[in-house]
Amino acid sequence: MKQNQDYKNAALAALKGNWPSAVLAMLVYLFISVIAVSPNVVSQVQLALNPSASGFFANHSGATSGFIYLMELLVLYPLVKGLFNTLNRLLVNGDADLVRGMFNSALTKYWRTVLASLLQFVFIFLWSLLLIVPGIIKAFSYSMTWFILEDEPELSPNKAIELSMAMMKGHKFDLFYLYLSFIGWGILSLFTLGIGLLWLTPYMYTSVAAFYQDVKADFMAKRELAAVPAAPASPAAPAAPASVPAETPAQEPEIQAPAIKDVKTENPEDYMPR
């Protein structure tokens, strides 16, 4: 894996000369976001849909919150997916038509994106019931889903989330550290009343796209390596035949002389009559 500065350098190189398009895409995204989730706008939409229920919605903030989340699910999340992927194409292919690219990506297989967004929300919410930290960890684990939905259009939303989890295994802190490296720019943006975010957000999202390209390449390399079958063991060399000692000419059996018993010397006197 590369260093954070490598991702940032790649993002700056991609954005060089394309900042106007990036800022325009951010302005469009923010404009739609404000319209989609502004409480006043939501109240007006609810009133237009059901004028007789205006008092109900005014007294039930839970219903308003639910409607706001529905607008986020149907509008903002597809746009976030589109913004990430149009900046990814800028990084990879140099495609600088960011506004059109954002909408094209957001609307391509729209309901698949909505379902993936809903699944991520449900999974993160359930993990957050244990503690806040597991929910944050899972959010980073699912963070590559936006890119995978674009690059792998045949995958179901759940499979895309699972693939993101596999890619991010061992790299969740790397992405957290990358986001953390932008905190200084974020603080400076606050002093500009948020105007600096128009430049910071494309810079950060393009850096995340560079991170995705790196983590994807690392994942694919590991998967290909795991798919290569192990080389069969070379057959053992046949054992050398046991050496047969050269035949020696048969030796004739040695004829041993009969043992000579110890015989007493005969005395002629033994045969003399007594």
Side-chain angles (χ1 to χ4, degrees), residues 11 19 33 39 46 82 104 115 166 180 190 195 198 211 218 223 233 235:
W19 284 108
S33 300
Q46 291 171 337
N104 285 342
L115 180 56
L180 191 64
L190 296 178
I195 296 176
L198 295 175
F211 176 88
D218 180 67
R223 187 163 67 176

Side-chain angles (χ1 to χ4, degrees), residues 101-220:
M102 178 175 67
F103 282 108
N104 285 342
S105 177
L107 296 177
T108 300
K109 296 195 173 183
Y110 171 79
W111 290 110
R112 177 169 168 260
T113 301
V114 170
L115 180 56
S117 304
L118 180 60
L119 289 175
Q120 288 183 76
F121 171 79
V122 171
F123 294 156
I124 293 172
F125 173 75
L126 293 176
W127 279 101
S128 298
L129 292 179
L130 301 177
L131 282 174
I132 296 298
V133 174
I136 295 174
I137 292 174
K138 284 300 177 181
F140 281 102
S141 185
Y142 305 152
S143 58
M144 299 294 105
T145 303
W146 302 129
F147 299 110
I148 295 171
L149 288 172
E150 186 86 3
D151 287 351
E152 305 289 344
E154 75 284 355
L155 291 183
S156 67
N158 194 53
K159 290 295 183 182
I161 293 173
E162 290 178 357
L163 182 56
S164 176
M165 293 171 60
M167 281 188 182
M168 291 299 291
K169 187 176 181 179
H171 298 298
K172 291 182 281 294
F173 183 79
D174 295 332
L175 182 58
F176 170 76
Y177 184 57
L178 177 60
Y179 275 115
L180 191 64
S181 67
F182 289 98
I183 192 170
W185 289 108
I187 293 173
L188 290 176
S189 297
L190 296 178
F191 291 101
T192 64
L193 301 179
I195 296 176
L197 293 174
L198 295 175
W199 284 264
L200 176 59
T201 304
Y203 177 30
M204 183 168 59
Y205 282 12
T206 310
S207 299
V208 174
F211 176 88
Y212 165 71
Q213 293 297 330
D214 192 25
V215 78
K216 180 176 72 170
D218 180 67
F219 175 77
M220 295 298 292

Side-chain angles (χ1 to χ4, degrees), residues 26-76:
M26 277 303 305
L27 283 172
V28 172
Y29 168 76
L30 290 175
F31 177 75
I32 296 175
S33 300
V34 170
I35 292 179
V37 301
S38 172
N40 293 331
V41 173
V42 171
S43 298
Q44 293 300 319
V45 171
Q46 291 171 337
L47 182 61
L49 294 176
N50 189 1
S52 63
S54 58
F56 174 83
F57 285 117
N59 298 320
H60 293 78
S61 59
T64 302
S65 299
F67 193 87
I68 289 175
Y69 178 72
L70 182 61
M71 295 298 291
E72 291 177 351
L73 181 65
L74 297 178
V75 178
L76 292 192

